[in-house]
């Protein structure tokens, strides 16, 4: 499968968003999905373009992408507006 790593990254980012939404007790899946997706793209950009630690042929960028997604979700729940 040629695009398996991309599918794993997309599904992993959504799974992290769903899990974060589930753990926090909120029902804002769209917001957590948006944060997770944007952070996953940023993690890909950092791994491939900025630090050049991997290429699209390997799986290292998927780890960077999911790590950035998890970090952004932690920041989202720490610093969001609590009205």
């Amino acid at each position: 499968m040629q695009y398996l790593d991309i599918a794993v990254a997309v599904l992993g980012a959504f799974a992290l968003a769903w899990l974060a939404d589930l753990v926090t007790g909120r029902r804002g899946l769209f917001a957590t999905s948006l944060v997770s997706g944007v952070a996953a793209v940023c993690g890909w950009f950092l791994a491939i373009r900025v630090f050049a630690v991997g290429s699209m042929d390997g799986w290292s960028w998927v780890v960077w992408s999911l790590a950035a997604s998890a970090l952004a979700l932690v920041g989202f729940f720490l610093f969001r507006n609590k009205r």
Side-chain angles (χ1 to χ4, degrees):
M1 302 237 329
Q2 186 176 4
Y3 299 109
L4 182 64
D5 52 350
I6 296 172
V8 167
V10 169
L11 292 175
F14 183 75
L16 283 174
W18 178 72
L19 188 66
D21 185 51
L22 194 68
V23 167
T24 58
R26 312 271 187 251
R27 293 294 172 229
L29 186 58
F30 177 76
T32 55
S33 296
L34 183 64
V35 169
S36 182
V38 169
V41 171
C42 291
W44 167 83
F45 185 78
L46 285 173
I48 300 295
R49 294 304 220 168
V50 176
F51 297 122
V53 294
S55 66
M56 289 294 290
D57 295 337
W59 285 84
S60 64
W61 70 269
V62 176
V63 175
W64 277 71
S65 180
L66 295 178
S69 178
L71 186 65
L73 285 168
V74 168
F76 175 68
F77 286 113
L78 279 177
F79 300 112
R80 67 185 169 86
N81 191 2
K82 297 181 180 180
R83 290 188 216 189

